[in-house]
Amino acid sequence: MAEPKVENSTSPVGESKIRIDAREKVTGAAIYADDIQFGNSLLHARIKRSPHPHALIKKINSEKALALPGVKAIVTGQDFPGYIGLYLKDRFFFCRDRVRYVGDPVAGVVAVSEEIAEKALGLIEVEYEILEPVLDPEYGARPEAPLLHPDLGKYAVASFIFPQPGTNISNHFKIRKGDVNGAWEKCTAIVEHKYRIPHIQHVPIEPHIAIAKVDEAGEITLWGSSQSPFAQRNLIAQSLGISPGKMRVIAPYVGGGFGCKAGVSMESLAVAIAMKVKGRPVKLLLTREEEFFTAFVRQGLTAYFKMGCDENGRLLAMENTFYWDGGAYTEYGVNITRAAGYSSSGPYEVPNVKTDSYCVYTNHPVGGAMRGFGMPEIHAGLEQCIDELALRIGMDAVEFRKLNCLKTGSTLVTGSRMHATGLSQCIEKTAEAIGWGKKAPPSAPNKRRGKGMALMWKAPAMPPNAGSSAWVELAEDGTLNVGVGGQEIGQGVFTVAAQMAAAALGVAYESVRIAAPIDTRYSPYEWQTVASRLTWSMGNAIVNAAKDARKQILDIVAEAWDETPDDLNIVNGVVISYKSEKEIPLKNLVIYGLPKPGDQGWRGGPIIGRGSFMPTYVTGLDAETGQGERAVVHYTTGAQAVELEVDLDTGRIEIIKGVSTFDIGKAINPELVEAQMEGGFVQGMSSALFESLQLKDGVLRNPSFVDYRIATSSDIPKDLQSYIVEVPQDDGPWGARGIGEHSMVPTIPAIANAIYDAVGVRLEGPPFTAEKVYLAMLDAGIVK
């Protein structure tokens, strides 16, 4: 694979040409089930789940299960009446009155072994009254649909979420910019399309797992594979009606997350069960089958797009309607709906926009955060419409995008102004690298070759006041320990954290260690490891903490040498003076300080720096128009292009080449940026070509890797190129923005546009399987 191309850049924190495993930068052993010596005290839990997509619970009889030797306790919804949820508190730990999807937790069993707990599940008798399910979000949004959450109007909800009580709409986000109706008559060309995006699963290598223990004093400790230890502490404590100070969450390395381990899912069940067996740790592990439909899934989407331009190709109007299949509970999905709304124009300046983005309750698995947070779904259709609109007026698709894309100072769909961006450069570099306008011959007579491009933008979808904090502490030998609350999930954030701390303080990267695992009792606060925000937000906190320690050190030395701090610097762990040319290693002063002359005491002492960061400038948006001064902290923008071949005999698609270019502000670690670009491309390709949760009557038909196909190494194109554009973010550390999710966003439409270029067919939505492509070619008369 090609090396990443970095325009006018060296890493601000050192030339990092060798990717360093983040595990090498961590102190402390990773705490996990097999590493903790619970011995015979460890109990095992299993969950009794609903077999129905929608039903009332009439009766639960657990007497036979309780009588089974080895069973210690059984928990039901009657034991825990509190609601839980991130942006919308709409669910119980265990169902109380009704079940809303196949897999909804009805009861929990804890026993001395997993086998006994599993056997006890079969002895629990549940009587249901079957209700009509809602299995389509468009239908669910209609007044005649069965009401899934009659108490929606009573749920606690974030101020920027707008539920519609008395309906299945848990959030309705609106954009009303300009005069859309008046703009259509001015358009030379108009395109309208409907697209469907299926549910997919994150399929992390490590499934969800949690161990909970409640001591006799009611203090709770939760060990879990989590992207959100602090959010879990807060949300679970709120639901239980206890102080967060009595709830401790320890989160070791996460074996893959992609959003499914954000917020709270099965972890609350482990805590609830552990409260019934105080003093005994309880382990709950999802099976691979359960992982597919009882953990968060990516929401499905039905999207309607209408857009028009003038004779010169200038976009004049867009009208988009999104029906999000939020599933049975939408505590996270409501914010995905909001993010889709304020990003609904795509990375284009459009004077007239109308958007209605609906989050709809259905009786499908629970929708939650997934890499891209709604952006891959809306870009999938939007970027295909952009291609078609360019074709309608006879304009090159790249030139059309260059004309209409956001530039510095552009007016956004929410009415605010675009910050400095290098999106135009991304388009140019991507087009050049893919060989845009040059048609290569296919590899065989029965194949057709095509190229496609798509743009993207994405903001960190988060509350306006999501904060980060950090501390740095120097040891006797001058090495640096850094405390953070952000989680390492394989993206390399601990490596980047160490680089930034080293650069900001003035010490060697090799002397920095990250304090892990994340522990809410000792680690500094971090909102969540989501939204591609850690390099920017946590990075600012780390820099501030390092600067705080640096100031303490320079003040001590300046006083000792009778100089000013401005005369001094810290270079490779040594304080040097540009005035007197004196120097002293940090190891000689950061713990014990420096002696005063004449044996008259000491100055200084142990150095600990602290830092925090929270954006203060994000404003609210009008509930009726979606307009406001500043909706988000920033946008990362970029472009992708693919070259592929379609086999006319089978419909099989082979990706020949992939090109990604993103403006990330500043590449703190170019190697890790490349890894994110490549990984996101492959995951996006997987969702474009293979992935779909096959739901029928509310039941998942393919909950295993036998029937759920994901991309493997054999599917990756041999030619993957990554390019970095750097237009600094004004408030990012060294100008950095995130890149973790963005490289997955434009892949589906880039592939779809390439398929059209190759064989002239478009599909209603992914996955673009060989069968679907072949049948589309057959319908179009391309093959016979």
Side-chain angles (χ1 to χ4, degrees):
M1 297 178 185
E3 289 292 315
K5 313 301 189 300
V6 185
E7 184 174 70
N8 300 325
S9 172
T10 57
S11 171
V13 291
E15 294 290 340
S16 179
K17 297 300 183 184
I18 300 175
R19 186 173 302 152
I20 299 174
D21 188 337
R23 286 168 175 77
E24 296 178 6
K25 307 309 300 174
V26 180
T27 57
I31 299 177
Y32 213 73
D34 293 335
D35 300 320
I36 307 169
Q37 299 303 311
F38 286 122
N40 293 332
S41 66
L42 183 65
L43 299 176
H44 300 265
R46 296 293 293 139
I47 306 301
K48 180 77 172 180
R49 300 185 180 276
S50 168
H52 307 294
H54 193 201
L56 295 178
I57 299 174
K58 307 301 291 183
K59 183 180 180 182
I60 300 176
N61 188 336
S62 58
E63 292 180 0
K64 294 179 182 178
L66 273 172
L68 184 68
V71 171
K72 297 298 182 181
I74 291 178
V75 180
T76 69
Q78 300 309 311
D79 299 306
F80 296 97
Y83 285 98
I84 192 168
L86 186 62
Y87 297 104
L88 176 67
K89 297 185 186 301
D90 65 351
R91 64 181 173 92
F92 300 112
F93 286 10
F94 290 91
C95 300
R96 288 172 60 84
D97 56 346
R98 71 171 72 196
V99 294
R100 294 180 172 92
Y101 74 101
V102 174
D104 221 351
V106 175
V109 176
V110 60
V112 296
S113 72
E114 192 170 3
E115 293 75 16
I116 293 175
E118 186 70 38
K119 184 176 180 180
L121 294 183
L123 299 177
I124 298 175
E125 299 169 352
V126 185
E127 181 182 331
Y128 295 98
E129 179 183 327
I130 307 301
L131 300 176
E132 179 188 349
V134 174
L135 303 174
D136 177 81
E138 275 193 90
Y139 170 65
R142 296 174 189 164
E144 64 267 25
L147 198 60
L148 303 189
H149 284 262
D151 294 329
L152 177 59
K154 301 177 183 178
Y155 295 158
V157 62
S159 61
F160 47 84
I161 303 300
F162 307 115
Q164 306 292 305
T167 75
N168 290 320
I169 299 170
S170 55
N171 189 24
H172 180 192
F173 185 89
K174 305 175 187 177
I175 290 288
R176 301 292 187 268
K177 178 189 176 188
D179 179 12
V180 173
N181 291 333
W184 296 125
E185 62 185 24
K186 302 174 184 177
C187 294
T188 301
I190 297 173
V191 299
E192 293 186 70
H193 277 293
K194 173 184 178 181
Y195 293 96
R196 289 183 180 274
I197 311 299
H199 297 80
I200 65 174
Q201 236 301 327
H202 311 68
V203 291
I205 293 175
E206 174 203 44
H208 281 70
I209 183 170
I211 297 175
K213 182 179 179 181
V214 182
D215 67 20
E216 295 299 332
E219 299 274 343
I220 302 170
T221 303
L222 171 66
W223 294 264
S225 180
S226 172
Q227 296 176 232
S228 310
F230 289 91
Q232 289 180 352
R233 177 186 68 175
N234 185 42
L235 294 174
I236 294 174
Q238 282 184 15
S239 183
L240 294 175
I242 65 172
S243 166
K246 299 188 71 174
M247 176 89 195
R248 178 186 181 188
V249 180
I250 301 171
Y253 285 120
V254 175
F258 311 110
C260 70
K261 293 172 183 172
V264 179
S265 57
M266 53 78 77
E267 299 82 11
S268 60
L269 305 181
V271 171
I273 295 169
M275 294 188 75
K276 289 290 187 177
V277 286
K278 289 185 177 181
R280 301 286 297 271
V282 174
K283 176 180 177 181
L284 178 61
L285 168 69
L286 295 189
T287 65
R288 178 56 65 182
E289 182 176 351
E290 287 178 313
E291 189 74 27
F292 271 97
F293 66 98
T294 69
F296 287 137
V297 302
R298 191 175 81 177
Q299 298 183 126
L301 172 66
T302 301
Y304 293 87
F305 294 95
K306 181 180 180 181
M307 61 182 68
C309 67
D310 64 19
E311 68 275 8
N312 298 314
R314 181 72 68 177
L315 284 168
L316 296 181
M318 279 191 187
E319 185 171 347
N320 305 326
T321 305
F322 305 141
Y323 294 97
W324 294 91
D325 189 334
Y329 307 100
T330 63
E331 54 153 321
Y332 230 126
V334 290
N335 198 37
I336 298 171
T337 300
R338 181 175 187 268
Y342 64 61
S343 304
S344 58
S345 64
Y348 301 100
E349 185 166 16
V350 188
N352 306 287
V353 182
K354 178 184 177 183
T355 300
D356 290 285
S357 187
Y358 300 98
C359 188
V360 184
Y361 285 120
T362 68
N363 295 114
H364 282 150
V366 180
M370 185 174 178
R371 192 177 194 175
F373 207 75
M375 297 304 101
E377 298 94 295
I378 67 168
H379 283 74
L382 188 148
E383 282 294 306
Q384 291 187 69
C385 290
I386 290 290
D387 249 38
E388 187 167 338
L389 198 56
L391 182 65
R392 290 276 182 94
I393 62 166
M395 190 172 184
D396 177 77
V398 168
E399 294 304 316
F400 189 92
R401 287 178 167 86
K402 287 167 65 176
L403 174 67
N404 289 289
C405 76
L406 293 170
K407 289 127 183 130
T408 303
S410 292
T411 302
L412 304 182
V413 66
T414 56
S416 56
R417 295 288 179 178
M418 183 64 179
H419 55 74
T421 178
L423 181 55
S424 295
Q425 296 169 254
C426 294
I427 299 172
E428 291 169 0
K429 286 182 172 295
T430 303
E432 180 183 0
I434 202 68
W436 192 262
K438 301 174 184 178
K439 196 77 171 180
S443 62
N446 66 325
K447 295 184 178 181
R448 297 292 181 269
R449 187 172 288 212
K451 296 177 181 178
M453 176 183 281
L455 308 188
M456 65 73 61
W457 71 332
K458 184 190 180 299
M462 64 187 202
N465 58 342
S468 301
S469 58
W471 52 256
V472 300
E473 180 182 27
L474 286 105
E476 289 86 347
D477 62 353
T479 55
L480 186 67
N481 290 317
V482 179
V484 295
Q487 181 62 290
E488 178 61 60
I489 57 175
Q491 81 281 45
V493 71
F494 283 1
T495 298
V496 171
Q499 287 183 271
M500 290 192 288
L505 183 60
V507 300
Y509 164 76
E510 291 76 14
S511 69
V512 182
R513 295 293 180 270
I514 305 299
I518 306 304
D519 184 334
T520 58
R521 180 167 293 175
Y522 303 111
S523 301
Y525 176 83
E526 181 61 58
W527 177 61
Q528 294 188 86
T529 301
V530 297
S532 303
R533 56 182 285 282
L534 288 192
T535 297
W536 165 75
S537 182
M538 192 177 81
N540 274 322
I542 292 169
V543 169
N544 290 337
K547 286 181 176 179
D548 182 31
R550 179 184 175 90
K551 182 180 185 302
Q552 295 175 49
I553 293 167
L554 295 184
D555 285 347
I556 293 168
V557 176
E559 182 183 354
W561 290 353
D562 194 23
E563 300 183 28
T564 68
D566 291 340
D567 297 327
L568 308 177
N569 197 4
I570 303 175
V571 179
N572 290 326
V574 178
V575 180
I576 62 172
S577 170
Y578 296 119
K579 178 180 179 181
S580 64
E581 298 188 358
K582 293 180 181 179
E583 63 180 48
I584 181 173
L586 292 180
K587 65 181 180 180
N588 292 343
L589 67 100
V590 292
I591 293 294
Y592 304 114
L594 293 175
K596 295 180 180 178
D599 199 21
Q600 295 302 303
W602 293 76
R603 56 172 60 88
I607 301 296
I608 301 177
R610 56 180 293 274
S612 63
F613 174 78
M614 186 184 78
T616 58
Y617 44 74
V618 177
T619 62
L621 299 177
D622 185 271
E624 294 302 317
T625 67
Q627 303 299 290
E629 184 177 344
R630 186 164 180 177
V632 299
V633 292
H634 59 250
Y635 283 95
T636 295
T637 59
Q640 265 182 2
V642 300
E643 184 174 12
L644 55 74
E645 283 190 337
V646 180
D647 190 315
L648 298 179
D649 295 331
T650 65
R652 182 181 180 274
I653 294 169
E654 180 183 0
I655 309 295
I656 306 297
K657 183 178 182 179
V659 177
S660 300
T661 311
F662 291 89
D663 173 18
I664 63 168
K666 194 68 174 178
I668 301 297
N669 187 316
E671 288 285 338
L672 290 177
V673 171
E674 177 193 16
Q676 290 299 319
M677 287 189 186
E678 293 177 352
F681 181 93
V682 172
Q683 195 168 15
M685 180 187 74
S686 186
S687 68
L689 300 181
F690 308 123
E691 296 186 49
S692 174
L693 291 174
Q694 302 296 324
L695 291 158
K696 184 175 182 181
D697 299 327
V699 179
L700 181 61
R701 302 296 184 178
N702 58 334
S704 77
F705 287 125
V706 173
D707 301 305
Y708 187 93
R709 170 92 152 85
I710 62 173
T712 66
S713 57
S714 64
D715 300 303
I716 300 174
K718 296 178 181 178
D719 190 357
L720 266 184
Q721 298 182 19
S722 301
Y723 296 85
I724 298 171
V725 170
E726 295 177 309
V727 176
Q729 183 63 35
D730 58 358
D731 65 345
W734 292 276
R737 285 186 292 270
I739 183 58
E741 300 170 89
H742 309 84
S743 51
M744 185 178 174
V745 172
T747 318
I748 291 175
I751 290 174
N753 289 336
I755 293 171
Y756 185 84
D757 184 51
V759 295
V761 300
R762 289 196 183 276
L763 304 177
E764 190 179 55
F768 309 133
T769 61
E771 179 184 14
K772 288 167 68 174
V773 172
Y774 182 81
L775 291 175
M777 292 191 297
L778 195 64
D779 290 343
I782 297 167
V783 298
K784 297 181 180 179

